[in-house]
């Protein structure tokens, strides 16, 4: 979501991502239509992303950790602003969009438009393939290769 200030995991997705929710009183978030969004806490989740080199010759799985708010929403939200802060480039045009990591030279492959909105598929850590190399950690938890996002909550 280009306007999202932070990444949010839907409460209904918490179990799939093995999220251990740390209850916190997080207020002041609203949806694009202005309605208030209830956040029940924060969590850190592991994800896997299917990616390719710029030439497309090599396709690999990369692993990352995301620090997220957990809220009463229908779909998970990945903040484009947070991605840009840590080296990701999101471009969108009339024929599609791209999520690219400048330092690694990798494109995210599992992307699509749905309801006229860009979507990126992130696999929960527990269900991703076993041949995965580390991409990094999100929100400055710790970095093994390169961070996806460096934002904190609180």
């Amino acid at each position: 979501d280009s306007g999202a200030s932070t990444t949010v995991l839907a409460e209904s997705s918490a179990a799939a991502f093995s999220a251990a929710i740390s209850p916190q009183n997080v207020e002041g978030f609203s949806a694009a239509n202005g309605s208030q969004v209830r956040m029940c806490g924060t969590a850190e989740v592991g994800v896997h992303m299917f990616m390719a080199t710029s030439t497309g010759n090599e396709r690999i799985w990369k692993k990352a950790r995301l620090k997220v708010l957990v809220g009463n929403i229908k779909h998970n939200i990945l903040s484009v602003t947070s991605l840009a802060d840590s080296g990701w480039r999101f471009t969108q045009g009339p024929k599609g969009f791209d999520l690219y990591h400048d330092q690694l030279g990798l494109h995210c492959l599992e992307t699509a438009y749905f309801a006229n909105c860009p979507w990126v598929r992130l696999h929960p850590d527990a269900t991703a393939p076993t041949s995965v190399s580390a991409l990094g950690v999100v929100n400055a938890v710790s970095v093994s290769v390169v961070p996806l996002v460096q934002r904190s909550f609180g």
Side-chain angles (χ1 to χ4, degrees), residues 4 10 53 55 60 74 96 101 103 105 127 137 145-146 154:
T53 57
T55 61
I60 53 178
K74 290 185 179 185
H101 194 279
Q103 185 178 357
T127 62
V137 176
V145 176
V146 62

Side-chain angles (χ1 to χ4, degrees), residues 47-148:
V47 299
H48 295 273
M49 304 166 69
F50 195 44
M51 305 186 80
T53 57
S54 291
T55 61
N57 294 334
E58 185 180 356
R59 295 172 185 245
I60 53 178
W61 287 95
K62 289 291 189 176
K63 177 172 54 173
R65 305 233 11 112
L66 287 91
K67 273 195 173 179
V68 299
L69 288 175
V70 181
N72 184 19
I73 58 175
K74 290 185 179 185
H75 303 288
N76 302 319
I77 298 171
L78 185 59
S79 169
V80 173
T81 302
S82 295
L83 290 172
D85 286 348
S86 59
W88 288 88
R89 184 173 6 126
F90 175 81
T91 55
Q92 184 173 357
K95 295 185 179 183
F97 71 96
D98 183 47
L99 183 58
Y100 178 77
H101 194 279
D102 287 318
Q103 185 178 357
L104 295 177
L106 296 174
H107 295 270
C108 195
L109 289 176
E110 294 185 304
T111 61
Y113 273 112
F114 176 72
N116 221 17
C117 184
W119 291 71
V120 177
R121 185 173 185 188
L122 301 177
H123 298 265
D125 197 11
T127 62
T130 55
S131 59
V132 175
S133 60
L135 176 62
V137 176
V138 177
N139 291 324
V141 177
S142 65
V143 176
S144 56
V145 176
V146 62
L148 289 174

